[in-house]
Amino acid sequence: MSELDFKSLNLPPQLLENLDQLGYKQMTDIQAQSLPTTLQGQDLIGKAKTGSGKTASFAIPMLTKLNPRFFGIQGLVLCPTRELSTQVANEIRKIARYQPNIKVITLCGGQPIGPQIGSLEHGAHIVVGTPGRIKDHLRKGTLDLSSIETFVLDEADRMLDMGFFEEITHIAGFMPNERQTLLFSATFPADIAQFSKDFQKKPASVEVESSHAKSQIEQLFYKVEKGLENKNNGLLRILQNHTPTQAVVFCNTKQTCNDVSLFLRENGYIALSLQGDMEQKERDLTLVRFSNQSASVLVATDVAARGIDIDDLDAVINYDLPRDPEVYVHRIGRTGRAGKSGQAFSLYLGSEKMRYDLINSMQSSPIDILDIDRLKNYSNKPEKPEMVTIALDSGKKQKIRPGDILGALTGTIGIPGNCVGKINIFDFASYVAVARPEARKAVNGLMEGKIKGRKVRVRRI
């Protein structure tokens, strides 16, 4: 039996069967290194990037010691953003399917607190949430952490970056001292050691190799002259010559993020901005549009991009080089996932040699620096994305389900099923991606018809 086989662990047969059905055939590196330790109840520091399979690394030990008959909160996972919290909660629910009636709830800011209080009144086994909102519930007395067995800090480095240290310390004070604490981080700044010292007892430490094989992610630096116009034109040339279907462009500041996305839109790209000053509703819509492939470029800051999980992302572009070389590794790790190839391009100024040297030292082979003039300057407009997002003014509160929207589009309106993409349902709104040639027919058909027996307002965004 392979050491990477889940069967090599002493797990319940029903859990093994569920993992197999979910496609967990072999353990990833972080799972293989951490699970034998965490299943023994030991604290852990795990260094692993997004997409490495770390959710299962903490979900499996959390679930194996859960008492399903006790509806007190036994597991708490803290995440830096609402998006990551939602993603983690969904993954835990899938893994937990081998046991009936396991309740996992998310408690995040940007959402009304009333319904969350209602959910807590009915009990829960596991809570996943952001530090600010968890602290709000503790202040109101609506959250009881006295039965916590497993405490998880996911993406601890970003929570530190976002200034959540005091909130986490406050939250930990409501838990039993006798608990298992698992800390996961993509990078290991000096603060993490103090973080661990405050919350953990003799933790084991595991680290997954974070450099990317050259065969998996092609990395190129393009040298540009100093100046805003030169950097903008360099970015355009990269997009025009390498033509990624979808790319994430990273900037170091919110203002640069907004400026670059505006520049790209002025040059014909459907480009979206994602940065920390945005309202939650606007962030949700931005992520919906990018993840359903109705936008070509997402321009983001590091903190705002946490929790984005886009399959088959073609390219990552560093408009600004990060100050920390581990942040660079984390950024480019969003492409080339699950054995697929990806591309990572960086705009490079001659004055940034020290940053380049630090980044280069973490690679398995040197990254080439090319002159931007090697790339042609095209004047033609870029191709539009394959999909278009259509918004409906009804959601979960109106009992709308994905099948209702899919049925209206494919049955009543007659749009082929392969022309309908992702469907996202929120409390009071729904979004569906439709192939661009079918978009007008879809909008008109939805406006003229009914869903769940009622008229819905529809718009193309």
Side-chain angles (χ1 to χ4, degrees), residues 205-231:
S205 183
V206 299
E207 181 174 342
V208 173
E209 179 58 48
S210 59
S211 62
H212 300 283
K214 195 165 186 181
S215 58
Q216 185 185 348
I217 300 178
E218 179 190 14
Q219 299 178 62
L220 292 173
F221 276 49
Y222 283 106
K223 188 173 182 180
V224 294
E225 295 301 318
K226 194 173 182 180
L228 182 63
E229 189 176 344
N230 292 325
K231 285 189 82 169

Side-chain angles (χ1 to χ4, degrees), residues 175-399:
M175 296 181 208
N177 286 328
E178 292 304 313
R179 63 169 193 264
Q180 183 178 27
T181 303
L182 309 176
L183 186 155
F184 290 86
S185 185
T187 63
F188 258 62
D191 294 347
I192 289 289
Q194 184 60 47
F195 212 46
S196 171
K197 190 177 176 184
D198 288 351
F199 301 117
Q200 296 185 295
K201 294 177 182 176
K202 297 180 181 175
S205 183
V206 299
E207 181 174 342
V208 173
E209 179 58 48
S210 59
S211 62
H212 300 283
K214 195 165 186 181
S215 58
Q216 185 185 348
I217 300 178
E218 179 190 14
Q219 299 178 62
L220 292 173
F221 276 49
Y222 283 106
K223 188 173 182 180
V224 294
E225 295 301 318
K226 194 173 182 180
L228 182 63
E229 189 176 344
N230 292 325
K231 285 189 82 169
N232 284 347
N233 287 334
L235 175 62
L236 262 191
R237 287 194 188 191
I238 289 171
L239 290 168
Q240 290 170 341
N241 285 262
H242 291 284
T243 61
T245 304
Q246 281 195 303
V248 173
V249 176
F250 280 102
C251 302
N252 289 347
T253 69
K254 298 169 189 175
Q255 188 58 54
T256 307
C257 207
N258 291 336
D259 293 345
V260 169
S261 58
L262 177 61
F263 169 78
L264 290 173
R265 286 194 294 274
E266 289 172 346
N267 282 274
Y269 286 88
I270 297 185
L272 306 173
S273 172
L274 187 69
Q275 42 81 7
D277 285 343
M278 294 166 67
E279 294 288 327
Q280 190 64 50
K281 189 175 178 183
E282 194 180 359
R283 283 174 60 83
D284 288 341
L285 181 53
T286 297
L287 288 171
V288 162
R289 290 181 64 193
F290 191 68
S291 66
N292 70 17
Q293 300 184 323
S294 62
S296 308
V297 186
L298 181 69
V299 188
T301 56
D302 290 300
V303 170
R306 289 312 258 216
I308 297 175
D309 191 27
I310 309 296
D311 293 330
D312 299 329
L313 182 62
D314 299 300
V316 167
I317 303 172
N318 293 296
Y319 182 88
D320 297 319
L321 284 183
R323 295 168 186 84
D324 182 344
E326 291 205 21
V327 171
Y328 171 88
V329 171
H330 192 74
R331 285 180 179 183
I332 72 168
R334 295 175 182 281
T335 185
R337 289 189 176 183
K340 294 173 182 162
S341 60
Q343 295 179 307
F345 308 112
S346 301
L347 294 173
Y348 168 72
L349 302 174
S351 59
E352 294 177 311
K353 185 176 186 304
M354 188 179 292
R355 289 188 190 182
Y356 167 78
D357 288 342
L358 286 170
I359 291 167
N360 207 30
S361 69
M362 298 181 69
Q363 306 303 312
S364 54
S365 54
I367 305 172
D368 292 331
I369 300 177
L370 307 176
D371 196 295
I372 196 70
D373 289 334
R374 290 178 57 150
L375 300 179
K376 291 180 182 177
N377 210 346
Y378 293 100
S379 57
N380 52 311
K381 293 290 182 186
E383 286 189 23
K384 297 293 184 193
E386 289 182 12
M387 310 300 279
V388 169
T389 299
I390 297 170
L392 295 79
D393 73 340
S394 296
K396 290 177 187 173
K397 298 297 184 184
Q398 290 75 37
K399 309 289 192 228

Side-chain angles (χ1 to χ4, degrees), residues 401-444:
R401 298 170 305 173
D404 300 322
I405 297 172
L406 183 63
L409 289 169
T410 58
T412 312
I413 301 169
I415 289 173
N418 61 1
C419 291
V420 181
K422 281 182 76 171
I423 299 174
N424 297 89
I425 312 284
F426 292 88
D427 283 349
F428 298 102
S430 303
Y431 303 96
V432 56
V434 177
R436 189 167 290 276
E438 302 285 345
R440 181 173 291 183
K441 181 179 176 182
V443 170
N444 292 340

Side-chain angles (χ1 to χ4, degrees), residues 100-234:
N101 304 318
I102 298 298
K103 187 175 176 185
V104 182
I105 63 174
T106 52
L107 302 176
C108 300
Q111 296 175 316
I113 200 166
Q116 294 178 354
I117 293 171
S119 290
L120 287 167
E121 285 173 349
H122 292 98
H125 296 101
I126 296 170
V127 166
V128 184
T130 50
R133 182 49 62 92
I134 298 292
K135 188 180 175 184
D136 290 342
H137 280 284
L138 290 171
R139 183 170 48 81
K140 288 177 177 289
T142 51
L143 181 63
D144 180 4
L145 301 181
S146 63
S147 302
I148 290 291
E149 298 264 353
T150 311
F151 178 34
V152 180
L153 296 153
D154 193 13
E155 303 207 347
D157 52 346
R158 288 303 132 197
M159 288 196 279
L160 283 175
D161 286 348
M162 296 164 80
F164 282 138
F165 186 83
E166 285 186 15
E167 280 91 342
I168 294 168
T169 303
H170 181 79
I171 292 163
F174 286 80
M175 296 181 208
N177 286 328
E178 292 304 313
R179 63 169 193 264
Q180 183 178 27
T181 303
L182 309 176
L183 186 155
F184 290 86
S185 185
T187 63
F188 258 62
D191 294 347
I192 289 289
Q194 184 60 47
F195 212 46
S196 171
K197 190 177 176 184
D198 288 351
F199 301 117
Q200 296 185 295
K201 294 177 182 176
K202 297 180 181 175
S205 183
V206 299
E207 181 174 342
V208 173
E209 179 58 48
S210 59
S211 62
H212 300 283
K214 195 165 186 181
S215 58
Q216 185 185 348
I217 300 178
E218 179 190 14
Q219 299 178 62
L220 292 173
F221 276 49
Y222 283 106
K223 188 173 182 180
V224 294
E225 295 301 318
K226 194 173 182 180
L228 182 63
E229 189 176 344
N230 292 325
K231 285 189 82 169
N232 284 347
N233 287 334

